[in-house]
Amino acid sequence: MSTSIDKGTAIFYLQKMMEIRQFEDKIMDLLAQNIAEGGSHLYAGEEAVAVGAMAALRPDDFITSTHRGHGHAIAKGGKLNELMAEILGKATGCCKGKGGSLHLADVSTGNLGANGIVGGGLAMAAGAGLSIKLRKTEQVTLCFIGDGATNQGVFHESLNMVGTWRLPVIYIVENNLYGMSVSVKRASAVTDLAKKAVPYNMPAVTVSGQDVLAVKDAVEAYVKNARAGKGPAMVVCDTYRYYGHSRSDPRVYRTKEEEKYWAEQDPIKLFSAKCVKEGLLSQKDVEELDKFVENEIEEATKFAIESPLPGDAELYTDLFA
Amino acid sequence: MSTSIDKGTAIFYLQKMMEIRQFEDKIMDLLAQNIAEGGSHLYAGEEAVAVGAMAALRPDDFITSTHRGHGHAIAKGGKLNELMAEILGKATGCCKGKGGSLHLADVSTGNLGANGIVGGGLAMAAGAGLSIKLRKTEQVTLCFIGDGATNQGVFHESLNMVGTWRLPVIYIVENNLYGMSVSVKRASAVTDLAKKAVPYNMPAVTVSGQDVLAVKDAVEAYVKNARAGKGPAMVVCDTYRYYGHSRSDPRVYRTKEEEKYWAEQDPIKLFSAKCVKEGLLSQKDVEELDKFVENEIEEATKFAIESPLPGDAELYTDLFA
Amino acid sequence: MREIAYWQAINEALAEEMTKDPSVFIMGEDVAIYGGAYAVTRGLHAKFGDERVRDTAISEAAIVGAGLGAAITGMRPVVEIMYVDFMGIAMDQLNNQIAKIRYMFGGKTKVPLVIRTEGGAGRTLGAHHSQSLEAWFTHIPGIKVVMPSTPYDAKGLLKAAIREDNPIVYIEHKMLYNTKGPVPETEYVLPIGKADVKKQGKDITLVSWSLTLLHCLKAAEELEKEGISVEVIDLRTLAPLDIDTIVGSVQKTHRLVIAHEAWKTGGFAGEIAAQVMEKAFDHLDAPVSRVCGADVPMPKAPNLERLAIPNKETIKKAVKELLA
Amino acid sequence: MREIAYWQAINEALAEEMTKDPSVFIMGEDVAIYGGAYAVTRGLHAKFGDERVRDTAISEAAIVGAGLGAAITGMRPVVEIMYVDFMGIAMDQLNNQIAKIRYMFGGKTKVPLVIRTEGGAGRTLGAHHSQSLEAWFTHIPGIKVVMPSTPYDAKGLLKAAIREDNPIVYIEHKMLYNTKGPVPETEYVLPIGKADVKKQGKDITLVSWSLTLLHCLKAAEELEKEGISVEVIDLRTLAPLDIDTIVGSVQKTHRLVIAHEAWKTGGFAGEIAAQVMEKAFDHLDAPVSRVCGADVPMPKAPNLERLAIPNKETIKKAVKELLA
Ligand SMILES: Cc1ncc(C[n+]2csc(CCOP(=O)(O)OP(=O)(O)O)c2C)c(N)n1
Ligand SMILES: Cc1ncc(C[n+]2csc(CCOP(=O)(O)OP(=O)(O)O)c2C)c(N)n1
Ligand SMILES: [Mg+2]
Ligand SMILES: [Mg+2]
């Protein structure tokens, strides 16, 4: 383990990762039962990225999230009840049921939103970085993007703006090897995604996205720089999504062996094993935490299912301030 | 001189550069007299780039040009009469007067067009490269862009496509230090523009854009590779535009010293002096050529001025095939 | 006649044209190995190989713009944009490059390019995956806009589009993919720019396209039972607009309802209403009525999504109101 | 009252609001040292410095999208897109992010963002620098669209726009920059969403905006001499549309001509015509007439450019035809 942490911190990280995992497994259930409708891109397998990165932040820092945003929302402090309700389109959701899975947001926690547009958060993140600079608040903005999103034009424009103006924005590239079905090898002229930082005059590092502490350490170092006015950076996190891209994905583009390999790098198992091995947590602590989280998720699910849909009059509200 | 060339070739390059220079000086005149209306972005000072790059091509190769496209059009074999007439919006222009300076094109010479949109030729060039690959014709596409255009999102998307698919496209980056009034230093996170090729898995080299042979040699080497299926590349040409960005530009963003420095690197003067020094041409040859070109430009101007405007019925033709 | 699904009709059109003409090829996100987000291109990669069925990076501007580059240099690309909602990213390519290039060049090039995309609501996917943006495209001179509602039209019009020397935006609807209809096994091509009277009637004219057309047909069927004879016109092509067919019908029925899923304000119904007024003012016994999408981003909540778009009931209501 | 130019009125509005509110800042291509392609921001960089008047790289999507990011995190950005023709590049940012974010988030954010841009023909700049694309923007729920025709309106509406908590597309016209008009020295703000009756009349209503409005006023003046009393309404704001003012006028005059420079097909005149029909059908003594731009990319040739857009004569002709 790359940094020494205390028991409380260990529990916090583990709990957050478990919350994300169980939240996503539950959504998969709800989709299968048609209780959840529409699409959901699940974060299971990538938990260490969101939790590790968010561990480096202050509550007033900003993030922009992606189409695969449940994990970011949870890690940034979103309430499970409200998130679950939002995914079901309920009035009690964090966006009153108007956003849904692809638009989970919670500005009060600094989460500027998931995004149905791949790369949709990139320019927004640059603007949030600029706003920090102009308001002189020493906040930072984390901009989460997938490997696939790095090929969008707005990636280039935004990183160039951030690089030129030395804005406090850190890019967290979640390299899960595929953008939908297209592997990085076939979508990107370079597979070493850290090379994509070169034209923007920002440092980049690649870490295991299955190791929550590795992610945290890398992000933390850059966040410190950014707060000190030393500009932006990129952290590429190698990771894997367990489920298909979306519910209907038969996953023909990847192999069982590959899936198995990554299942062995499970971020929750790795982290809890290490904590136990190093005596920070007992096996019992881990099991109890798992139970506790199970309960949380059950409650959130119940809350969401029992919540009402928005009233019909809501159709026309919230368009303008 | 980096390659040895014969007298005919020397005359050809010199003539093309002189044609561009005098063409542009003439346009400036016509603008001042309000004979030419609207905007024109003049290429004077950058002649060696277009002429050197085009010297590496076959007639059936493609180029995409820019808003500063007169030089490319001339160097790619456009007819002076038709180009001048087009800029005046005359029926005899290469686009029947419908395009104008910003849209000079001549598909019959492989020139896929100037473009009013900065970066507008980038995706088109990728497509032309793909077409070559699919049709297996061993053509190449040269994609001209300014330093400013390298910041557009479509630059990134296009180069990634070209880099991933190893298409026969060579980027000629005309780094004239400014995009309109904004210096590369203030617009781009890196000033060494060759670094912008890194994420696309393509080699890049920087050459003096004032040295027609240096440009030709660099482009030629990459063109050879591209024809052989070895993929794309980038040539950054350091150069300078003599006139302001457009007619109304007071050039407050640059200094007299800088302008003077670059005037001393004049591509036509440098090349003719070298040719004379190496005994390839006599001073008289150079002077005669200059006169000859003057005549050409006078004729083109006369042709253009005397040509009729398009008939009113032309407004609705040419929209659909 | 055999019945096949809408997606399959499109798939067949692609396969047939690719077989016939080696210059036709496909590119887009997840069109090859995956076979398309809505599986429209399934099997084509296996059949035609890597070169002619190409997965691209996520880069809508380059996909569409590269389509143009290939089209003007000897190929006939069919590019796919996964959701019409993403066309904003490629809007400059479409408007400034694709639509204008031929005109700007004085007719000295042609652009045999098809941009296939998909739109519409119905799957509670929220504001970024439910839009109907055809009105933007109809406001761009130099492109044609096709929006078929049946498998038969989808196949015949796509084949025509691929053979056209002009750029075409061809928009499918996500809720139509699994609808079935008769499609001949023998080859056929349909004319772009011709509306289709899907049902004859004499009391009122209903104009629509894409999924909403099916709602109109159902509404017309039910209204017929109530003694109201509705003529239902499927535009199929929005640009060029077959205004003559609409005006001809209005001259007979004197009443017109236009229904579409897109936002009402600035939607294409307004254009049709204005043209009908210009060409058949004296024939109109009532104002042209529009049944359109609510002027809001598509909400996630399933009840609000349903409220936000036209359906059989709201169409029937508009017809009755106009006849009242 | 003193007379100042349109560009100057805009420049004053920017300077005043920046002085008043430190959260207002400007960014765009060549807005700082150069002072803007049409010199609208001249002097502001010297006055407010590097941080608040920012030259950007050529990257329209990032400019507009970063505006959003800054707007939802405490600033009030005024971003400039040099020509409206380039808005296609930022269309996804505008449509999917800026216009929708507040609604998608259930009202939990606000977007105090102004996108200033410039459009229109008249300088023979060709197809990429002469467009009028407002119809695209009016077809996006969640944004407001302002297009002033006079220095007075330009100033008052821009100040209002900067103070709004909603995203606004504010479109200037390149041929208006040097037109002059009375502008008070004392501060004032005009309401967004209110049309202005620029001339009273009783025989016919002329609705327009931006440069074309001035042509309408001249046409009306000349028609007055011929005994035709024209009411001229300047929309000023297209979204939200002040339909009541238009309908009120039509109830009086019973005839309506709408004039704009944008392409006719799918242009905003169609929307207005449809709404007027819906709300005042029985008051219309003639079909609503549209005088609009030709449905072609703008040609370079000066004679063709003139032919492609409305002018005083074509407007007069339409008025007379409608009264015939
Ligand atoms: C602009 C845009 N293009 C395409 C899509 C469809 N799409 C949704 S997710 C996705 C893959 C994204 O890949 P990546 O950025 O690697 O994120 P991951 O899904 O792997 O987490 C695609 C193509 C979209 N939503 N938006
Ligand atoms: C998309 C777009 N943005 C902005 C402009 C306005 N503009 C025209 S030329 C230019 C500068 C281009 O700079 P560069 O690419 O370096 O080419 P150069 O003019 O220096 O040759 C700008 C900003 C444009 N025409 N298109
Ligand atoms: Mg991925
Ligand atoms: Mg430059």
Side-chain angles (χ1 to χ4, degrees), chain B residues 46 67-68 146-149 174-180 184 241:
Chain B
E46 308 190 6
H67 59 286
R68 197 175 299 289
D147 48 280
E174 305 182 319
N175 183 2
N176 61 8
L177 308 186
Y178 301 91
M180 204 159 155
V184 172
R241 62 167 154 75

Side-chain angles (χ1 to χ4, degrees), chain A residues 37-39 87 89 97-100 102-103 115-117 148 151-152 179-182 186-187 249 309-312 315-316 319, chain C residues 30 33-34 37 55-60 82 86 89 123-125 127-129 294-297 299-304 307-308:
Chain A
E37 292 179 75
I87 290 165
K98 291 183 175 179
L102 279 169
H103 307 286
N115 217 302
I117 300 300
N151 300 317
Q152 281 284 29
M180 203 157 157
S181 71
V182 185
R186 295 192 308 121
D249 174 3
L309 289 166
D312 287 355
L315 183 62
Y316 290 103
L319 190 59
Chain C
D30 305 284
I33 300 183
Y34 199 89
D55 276 334
T56 64
I58 305 171
S59 50
E60 285 75 12
M82 198 186 283
F86 313 154
I89 303 173
R123 296 189 60 229
T124 77
L125 296 174
H128 287 170
H129 290 73
D295 282 331
V296 293
K300 157 70 187 180
N303 60 323
L304 298 184
L307 270 180

Side-chain angles (χ1 to χ4, degrees), chain D residues 6-57:
Chain D
Y6 186 87
W7 76 262
Q8 213 172 343
I10 299 167
N11 183 278
E12 281 189 7
L14 292 167
E16 286 174 21
E17 294 305 303
M18 288 182 77
T19 303
K20 196 181 145 95
D21 182 347
S23 64
V24 179
F25 73 99
I26 293 176
M27 66 177 161
E29 294 160 18
D30 305 284
V31 296
I33 300 183
Y34 198 89
Y38 286 97
V40 170
T41 53
R42 71 182 76 158
L44 299 180
H45 179 250
K47 187 160 180 183
F48 297 101
D50 276 343
E51 287 289 281
R52 293 183 68 197
V53 183
R54 310 182 74 90
D55 277 332
T56 64

Side-chain angles (χ1 to χ4, degrees), chain A residues 150-157 159-160 163-166 185-190 195-201, chain B residues 150-157 159-160 163-166 185-190 195-201:
Chain A
T150 66
N151 300 317
Q152 281 284 29
V154 72
F155 169 87
H156 179 64
E157 295 190 6
L159 271 75
N160 186 55
T164 306
W165 291 347
R166 318 304 302 149
K185 286 190 213 101
R186 295 192 308 121
S188 180
V190 291
K195 282 199 182 150
K196 297 204 182 197
V198 171
Y200 313 113
N201 188 19
Chain B
T150 67
N151 300 317
Q152 280 285 29
V154 72
F155 169 87
H156 178 65
E157 294 190 6
L159 271 75
N160 186 55
T164 306
W165 291 347
R166 316 306 300 150
K185 284 189 213 101
R186 295 194 306 123
S188 180
V190 291
K195 280 198 182 151
K196 298 204 180 196
V198 170
Y200 313 113
N201 188 19

Side-chain angles (χ1 to χ4, degrees), chain D residues 98-115:
Chain D
I98 292 167
K100 294 183 173 44
I101 196 166
R102 177 178 167 83
Y103 187 89
M104 291 190 303
F105 290 4
K108 292 188 183 165
T109 187
K110 54 189 169 62
V111 184
L113 169 65
V114 179
I115 302 168

Side-chain angles (χ1 to χ4, degrees), chain B residues 180-310:
Chain B
M180 204 159 155
S181 72
V182 185
S183 75
V184 172
K185 284 189 213 101
R186 295 194 306 123
S188 180
V190 291
T191 51
D192 174 4
L193 300 185
K195 280 198 182 151
K196 298 204 180 196
V198 170
Y200 313 113
N201 188 19
M202 59 176 86
V205 68
T206 302
V207 300
S208 164
Q210 308 309 91
D211 180 346
V212 65
L213 297 182
V215 174
K216 174 181 170 268
D217 287 350
V219 177
E220 205 160 53
Y222 287 141
V223 161
K224 202 174 147 205
N225 277 343
R227 284 202 213 287
K230 293 188 195 150
M234 180 186 288
V235 180
V236 179
C237 303
D238 291 333
T239 186
Y240 205 70
R241 62 167 154 75
Y242 288 169
Y243 291 112
H245 174 71
S246 61
R247 182 165 34 161
S248 54
D249 174 4
R251 311 202 299 279
V252 292
Y253 49 85
R254 65 191 205 186
T255 62
K256 290 268 170 287
E257 293 72 57
E258 187 181 280
E259 293 186 351
K260 185 155 167 287
Y261 168 82
W262 283 93
E264 284 158 12
Q265 322 291 316
D266 185 84
I268 298 175
K269 280 195 207 132
L270 288 182
F271 184 63
S272 44
K274 278 208 170 184
C275 288
V276 170
K277 191 169 155 214
E278 296 184 11
L280 212 52
L281 299 178
S282 68
Q283 189 56 40
K284 190 149 164 283
D285 290 336
V286 173
E287 279 156 25
E288 276 175 14
L289 197 59
D290 201 56
K291 269 275 161 241
F292 176 82
V293 168
E294 213 177 299
N295 215 37
E296 284 186 306
I297 300 295
E298 279 316 314
E299 270 179 30
T301 310
K302 191 162 177 293
F303 172 84
I305 291 177
E306 289 175 359
S307 287
L309 289 166

